[in-house]
Amino acid sequence: MSDMKPEGIKEEDWRGILAVGFTAAFGAISAIALLLSGVPALQTVAAVFGPMEGLILGFYFGQKSKG
């Protein structure tokens, strides 16, 4: 038998996929809130999900600059 490992998605690829996915979801939720209820709803969405979005993007780009 050979010692070849299957090629798959690497860990850094998963981090990127999750960061893009969460950013897209954050944008979609923000747009829906803005369209349905206006600026106060957008402010609420940004207050709830904004810090989490910042942490995710900071983690992703922080790891990307190290490696």
Side-chain angles (χ1 to χ4, degrees):
M1 290 284 170
S2 66
D3 292 329
M4 294 178 54
K5 294 181 181 177
E7 292 296 321
I9 297 177
K10 298 177 185 174
E11 182 182 352
E12 51 271 3
D13 294 338
W14 278 112
R15 284 196 302 257
I17 291 168
L18 290 173
V20 168
F22 191 82
T23 300
F26 178 71
I29 292 168
S30 297
I32 290 169
L34 182 62
L35 291 173
L36 293 179
S37 300
V39 174
L42 177 62
Q43 289 174 332
T44 302
V45 168
V48 172
F49 292 110
M52 198 176 347
E53 172 72 11
L55 285 172
I56 289 169
L57 291 178
F59 176 76
Y60 174 70
F61 285 111
Q63 291 294 322
K64 191 123 176 115
S65 67
K66 288 180 184 177

